[in-house]
Amino acid sequence: MNKLTLDQAVKKWVWEFNALPLQLIEKAYPNFIDEVEILTTNKVCGHCESEDIVKNEDGEPYCQHCNNDDIYDKYGLPMWGTMWTFGDSLDNDWIRNNIDVVADCGIWVYESEELGIFFGIDGAGYDFYEQHWKPLYKARGLKWHSEE
C-alpha cells in the first residue's frame, strides 16, 4: 500500500522535472516566437491584463475581473524565472494528447527540436503546488498517493 500523501506524491513528481532557467531559454532562442512552437495559448483581458477569464452563458470568454469581453491570446515566455521538461517521456506523450487539460491547469507548453516539450507558469507570489502542480497531477491520473 502506498504511504505517500497527495501533497508528498505531487512534490515527488515535480522534483523529477528538469528545471531550466528562463535566461537559458532566452539565450537559446533569441527569436523565441519564430523558433519555438507554442502549444498552448493563454487568454488575457485586453482591458486590464487579468487572466480571470471565464465563459459567459453563450460560451464566449470574458474577463471576470472587469466584466469585459476584450480577450486576446497571450504568447511568449511566462514570467516565472524557471521552465521545466519532464523527467519521463511518458509525460511528454500524455501532454501532447491533453494540451487543453494542461492549459486549464495554467501551464504554458512549448516544443522545440532541441528540448522537445517544455513548459512554464506565467505567475508569481502564490502556491504553484496548489494552483498548478496538484491539478496537473490529478489530471494526469497519477496515483502515487494513498487515498486514505
Coordinates of all heavy atoms in Angstrom, one line a residue, residues 98-143:
N98 N -3.2 15.9 -24.5 CA -4.0 16.6 -23.5 C -3.7 18.1 -23.3 O -3.8 18.6 -22.2 CB -3.9 15.9 -22.1 CG -4.5 14.5 -22.2 OD1 -5.7 14.2 -22.2 ND2 -3.6 13.5 -22.4
I99 N -3.3 18.7 -24.4 CA -2.9 20.1 -24.3 C -4.0 21.0 -23.6 O -3.6 21.9 -22.8 CB -2.6 20.7 -25.7 CG1 -1.2 20.1 -26.2 CG2 -2.5 22.2 -25.8 CD1 0.0 20.5 -25.4
D100 N -5.2 20.8 -24.0 CA -6.3 21.7 -23.4 C -6.4 21.5 -21.9 O -6.6 22.4 -21.1 CB -7.6 21.4 -24.0 CG -7.7 21.9 -25.4 OD1 -6.9 22.7 -25.8 OD2 -8.6 21.4 -26.2
V101 N -6.2 20.2 -21.4 CA -6.2 19.9 -20.0 C -5.1 20.6 -19.3 O -5.2 21.2 -18.2 CB -6.2 18.4 -19.8 CG1 -6.1 18.1 -18.3 CG2 -7.4 17.7 -20.4
V102 N -3.9 20.6 -19.9 CA -2.7 21.2 -19.3 C -2.9 22.7 -19.3 O -2.6 23.3 -18.2 CB -1.5 20.8 -20.1 CG1 -0.2 21.5 -19.6 CG2 -1.3 19.3 -20.1
A103 N -3.4 23.3 -20.3 CA -3.7 24.7 -20.3 C -4.6 25.1 -19.2 O -4.5 26.2 -18.6 CB -4.2 25.2 -21.7
D104 N -5.6 24.3 -19.0 CA -6.6 24.6 -17.9 C -6.0 24.5 -16.5 O -6.5 25.1 -15.6 CB -7.8 23.5 -18.0 CG -8.7 23.8 -19.1 OD1 -8.7 24.9 -19.7 OD2 -9.5 22.9 -19.4
C105 N -4.8 23.9 -16.4 CA -4.1 23.9 -15.2 C -3.1 25.1 -15.1 O -2.4 25.2 -14.1 CB -3.2 22.6 -15.0 SG -4.2 21.1 -14.9
G106 N -3.2 26.0 -16.0 CA -2.4 27.2 -16.0 C -0.9 27.0 -16.4 O 0.0 27.8 -16.1
I107 N -0.7 25.9 -17.2 CA 0.7 25.6 -17.6 C 0.8 26.0 -19.1 O 0.0 25.7 -19.9 CB 1.0 24.1 -17.5 CG1 0.6 23.5 -16.1 CG2 2.4 23.7 -17.9 CD1 1.5 23.9 -15.0
W108 N 1.9 26.7 -19.4 CA 2.2 27.1 -20.8 C 3.1 26.1 -21.4 O 4.2 25.8 -20.8 CB 2.8 28.5 -20.8 CG 1.9 29.6 -20.4 CD1 0.8 29.6 -19.7 CD2 2.1 31.0 -20.8 NE1 0.2 30.8 -19.5 CE2 1.0 31.7 -20.2 CE3 3.0 31.7 -21.5 CZ2 0.9 33.1 -20.4 CZ3 2.9 33.0 -21.7 CH2 1.8 33.7 -21.1
V109 N 2.8 25.5 -22.5 CA 3.6 24.4 -23.1 C 4.1 24.8 -24.5 O 3.5 25.5 -25.3 CB 2.7 23.2 -23.3 CG1 3.5 22.0 -23.8 CG2 2.0 22.8 -22.0
Y110 N 5.4 24.5 -24.6 CA 6.1 24.8 -25.9 C 6.8 23.5 -26.3 O 7.0 22.6 -25.6 CB 7.2 25.8 -25.6 CG 6.7 27.0 -24.8 CD1 6.7 27.0 -23.4 CD2 6.2 28.1 -25.5 CE1 6.2 28.1 -22.7 CE2 5.8 29.2 -24.8 CZ 5.8 29.2 -23.4 OH 5.3 30.3 -22.7
E111 N 7.3 23.6 -27.6 CA 8.1 22.4 -28.1 C 9.1 23.0 -29.0 O 8.9 23.9 -29.8 CB 7.2 21.4 -28.9 CG 7.9 20.2 -29.3 CD 7.0 19.1 -29.7 OE1 5.8 19.4 -30.0 OE2 7.4 17.9 -29.8
S112 N 10.3 22.4 -28.9 CA 11.4 22.8 -29.8 C 12.1 21.5 -30.2 O 12.0 20.5 -29.6 CB 12.4 23.7 -29.1 OG 13.2 23.0 -28.2
E113 N 12.9 21.6 -31.3 CA 13.6 20.4 -31.8 C 14.6 20.0 -30.8 O 14.8 18.8 -30.6 CB 14.3 20.8 -33.1 CG 15.0 19.6 -33.8 CD 15.5 20.0 -35.2 OE1 14.8 20.7 -35.9 OE2 16.7 19.6 -35.5
E114 N 15.3 20.9 -30.1 CA 16.4 20.6 -29.2 C 15.8 20.1 -27.8 O 16.4 19.2 -27.3 CB 17.2 21.8 -28.9 CG 17.9 22.4 -30.1 CD 17.0 23.3 -31.0 OE1 15.9 23.6 -30.6 OE2 17.5 23.6 -32.1
L115 N 14.8 20.7 -27.3 CA 14.3 20.3 -26.0 C 13.1 19.4 -26.0 O 12.8 18.7 -25.0 CB 13.9 21.6 -25.2 CG 15.0 22.5 -24.7 CD1 14.4 23.7 -24.1 CD2 15.8 21.7 -23.7
G116 N 12.4 19.3 -27.1 CA 11.1 18.6 -27.1 C 10.1 19.4 -26.3 O 10.1 20.6 -26.4
I117 N 9.3 18.8 -25.5 CA 8.3 19.5 -24.8 C 8.9 20.2 -23.6 O 9.7 19.6 -22.9 CB 7.2 18.5 -24.2 CG1 6.4 17.9 -25.3 CG2 6.3 19.2 -23.2 CD1 5.4 18.8 -26.0
F118 N 8.6 21.5 -23.4 CA 9.0 22.2 -22.2 C 7.9 23.1 -21.8 O 7.0 23.4 -22.6 CB 10.4 22.9 -22.3 CG 10.5 24.0 -23.3 CD1 10.5 25.3 -22.9 CD2 10.6 23.7 -24.7 CE1 10.6 26.3 -23.9 CE2 10.7 24.7 -25.6 CZ 10.7 26.0 -25.2
F119 N 7.8 23.5 -20.5 CA 6.7 24.3 -20.0 C 7.0 25.2 -18.9 O 8.1 25.1 -18.3 CB 5.6 23.3 -19.6 CG 6.1 22.2 -18.7 CD1 6.0 22.3 -17.3 CD2 6.7 21.0 -19.2 CE1 6.5 21.3 -16.5 CE2 7.1 20.0 -18.4 CZ 7.0 20.2 -17.0
G120 N 6.1 26.2 -18.7 CA 6.3 27.2 -17.7 C 5.0 27.7 -17.1 O 3.9 27.3 -17.6
I121 N 5.1 28.6 -16.1 CA 4.0 29.1 -15.5 C 4.1 30.7 -15.5 O 5.1 31.2 -15.2 CB 3.9 28.7 -14.0 CG1 3.6 27.1 -14.0 CG2 2.8 29.4 -13.3 CD1 3.7 26.5 -12.6
D122 N 3.0 31.3 -16.0 CA 3.0 32.8 -16.0 C 2.4 33.3 -14.8 O 1.2 33.6 -14.8 CB 2.3 33.3 -17.3 CG 2.5 34.7 -17.5 OD1 3.6 35.2 -17.3 OD2 1.5 35.4 -17.8
G123 N 3.1 33.3 -13.7 CA 2.6 33.7 -12.4 C 3.7 33.8 -11.4 O 4.8 33.3 -11.6
A124 N 3.4 34.4 -10.3 CA 4.3 34.5 -9.1 C 3.6 35.0 -7.9 O 2.5 35.6 -8.0 CB 5.4 35.5 -9.5
G125 N 4.1 34.6 -6.8 CA 3.6 35.1 -5.5 C 2.4 34.3 -4.9 O 1.7 34.8 -4.1
Y126 N 2.3 33.0 -5.4 CA 1.3 32.1 -4.8 C 1.8 30.7 -4.8 O 2.9 30.4 -5.4 CB 0.0 32.3 -5.6 CG 0.1 32.0 -7.0 CD1 -0.1 30.7 -7.5 CD2 0.3 33.0 -8.0 CE1 0.0 30.4 -8.9 CE2 0.4 32.7 -9.3 CZ 0.3 31.4 -9.8 OH 0.4 31.2 -11.1
D127 N 1.1 29.8 -4.3 CA 1.5 28.4 -4.2 C 1.3 27.6 -5.5 O 0.1 27.3 -5.9 CB 0.7 27.7 -3.1 CG 1.1 26.3 -2.8 OD1 1.8 25.7 -3.6 OD2 0.7 25.8 -1.7
F128 N 2.3 27.4 -6.2 CA 2.3 26.7 -7.5 C 1.7 25.2 -7.3 O 1.1 24.7 -8.2 CB 3.6 26.6 -8.2 CG 4.1 27.9 -8.9 CD1 3.4 29.1 -8.7 CD2 5.2 27.8 -9.7 CE1 3.8 30.2 -9.4 CE2 5.6 29.0 -10.4 CZ 4.9 30.2 -10.2
Y129 N 2.1 24.6 -6.2 CA 1.6 23.2 -6.0 C 0.1 23.2 -5.9 O -0.5 22.3 -6.6 CB 2.2 22.7 -4.7 CG 3.6 22.2 -4.8 CD1 4.7 23.0 -4.5 CD2 3.9 21.0 -5.4 CE1 6.0 22.6 -4.7 CE2 5.2 20.6 -5.6 CZ 6.3 21.4 -5.2 OH 7.6 21.0 -5.4
E130 N -0.5 24.1 -5.2 CA -2.0 24.1 -5.1 C -2.6 24.5 -6.4 O -3.7 23.9 -6.8 CB -2.5 25.0 -4.0 CG -2.2 24.4 -2.6 CD -2.9 23.1 -2.4 OE1 -4.1 23.0 -2.8 OE2 -2.3 22.2 -1.8
Q131 N -2.1 25.5 -7.1 CA -2.7 26.1 -8.3 C -2.4 25.4 -9.6 O -3.2 25.4 -10.5 CB -2.4 27.6 -8.4 CG -2.9 28.4 -7.3 CD -4.4 28.4 -7.2 OE1 -5.1 28.6 -8.2 NE2 -4.9 28.2 -6.0
H132 N -1.2 24.8 -9.7 CA -0.8 24.2 -11.0 C -0.4 22.7 -10.9 O -1.0 21.9 -11.6 CB 0.4 25.0 -11.5 CG 0.1 26.4 -11.7 ND1 -0.7 26.9 -12.7 CD2 0.5 27.5 -11.0 CE1 -0.8 28.2 -12.6 NE2 -0.1 28.6 -11.6
W133 N 0.5 22.4 -10.0 CA 1.1 21.0 -10.0 C 0.1 20.0 -9.5 O 0.0 18.9 -10.1 CB 2.3 21.0 -9.2 CG 3.4 21.9 -9.6 CD1 4.2 22.7 -8.9 CD2 3.9 22.1 -11.0 NE1 5.1 23.4 -9.6 CE2 4.9 23.0 -10.9 CE3 3.5 21.6 -12.2 CZ2 5.6 23.5 -12.1 CZ3 4.2 22.1 -13.3 CH2 5.2 23.0 -13.3
K134 N -0.7 20.3 -8.4 CA -1.7 19.3 -7.9 C -2.8 19.1 -9.0 O -3.1 17.9 -9.3 CB -2.2 19.8 -6.6 CG -3.0 18.6 -5.9 CD -3.6 19.1 -4.6 CE -2.6 19.3 -3.5 NZ -3.2 19.6 -2.2
P135 N -3.3 20.1 -9.6 CA -4.3 19.9 -10.6 C -3.8 19.1 -11.8 O -4.4 18.2 -12.4 CB -4.8 21.3 -11.0 CG -4.5 22.1 -9.8 CD -3.3 21.6 -9.2
L136 N -2.5 19.4 -12.2 CA -1.9 18.6 -13.3 C -1.7 17.2 -12.9 O -1.9 16.3 -13.7 CB -0.6 19.3 -13.7 CG 0.1 18.7 -14.9 CD1 -0.7 18.9 -16.2 CD2 1.5 19.4 -15.1
Y137 N -1.2 16.9 -11.7 CA -1.0 15.5 -11.2 C -2.3 14.8 -11.3 O -2.4 13.6 -11.8 CB -0.5 15.6 -9.8 CG -0.4 14.3 -9.1 CD1 0.8 13.5 -9.1 CD2 -1.5 13.8 -8.3 CE1 0.9 12.3 -8.4 CE2 -1.4 12.6 -7.6 CZ -0.2 11.9 -7.7 OH -0.2 10.7 -7.0
K138 N -3.4 15.4 -10.8 CA -4.7 14.7 -10.8 C -5.2 14.5 -12.3 O -5.7 13.5 -12.6 CB -5.7 15.6 -10.0 CG -5.5 15.5 -8.5 CD -6.5 16.4 -7.8 CE -6.3 16.4 -6.3 NZ -7.3 17.3 -5.7
A139 N -5.0 15.6 -13.1 CA -5.5 15.4 -14.5 C -4.7 14.3 -15.2 O -5.2 13.6 -16.1 CB -5.3 16.8 -15.2
R140 N -3.4 14.2 -14.9 CA -2.6 13.2 -15.4 C -3.0 11.8 -15.0 O -2.6 10.8 -15.7 CB -1.1 13.5 -15.0 CG -0.1 12.5 -15.4 CD 0.3 12.6 -16.9 NE 1.3 11.7 -17.3 CZ 1.2 10.4 -17.5 NH1 0.0 9.8 -17.5 NH2 2.3 9.6 -17.8
G141 N -3.8 11.7 -14.0 CA -4.3 10.4 -13.5 C -3.3 9.6 -12.7 O -3.4 8.4 -12.5
L142 N -2.3 10.3 -12.1 CA -1.3 9.6 -11.3 C -1.9 9.2 -10.0 O -2.7 9.9 -9.4 CB 0.0 10.5 -11.1 CG 0.7 10.9 -12.4 CD1 1.8 11.9 -12.2 CD2 1.2 9.6 -13.1
K143 N -1.4 8.1 -9.4 CA -2.0 7.6 -8.2 C -0.8 7.1 -7.3 O -0.8 6.0 -6.8 CB -2.9 6.4 -8.4 CG -4.1 6.7 -9.3 CD -5.1 7.4 -8.5 CE -6.4 7.6 -9.4 NZ -7.3 8.4 -8.8

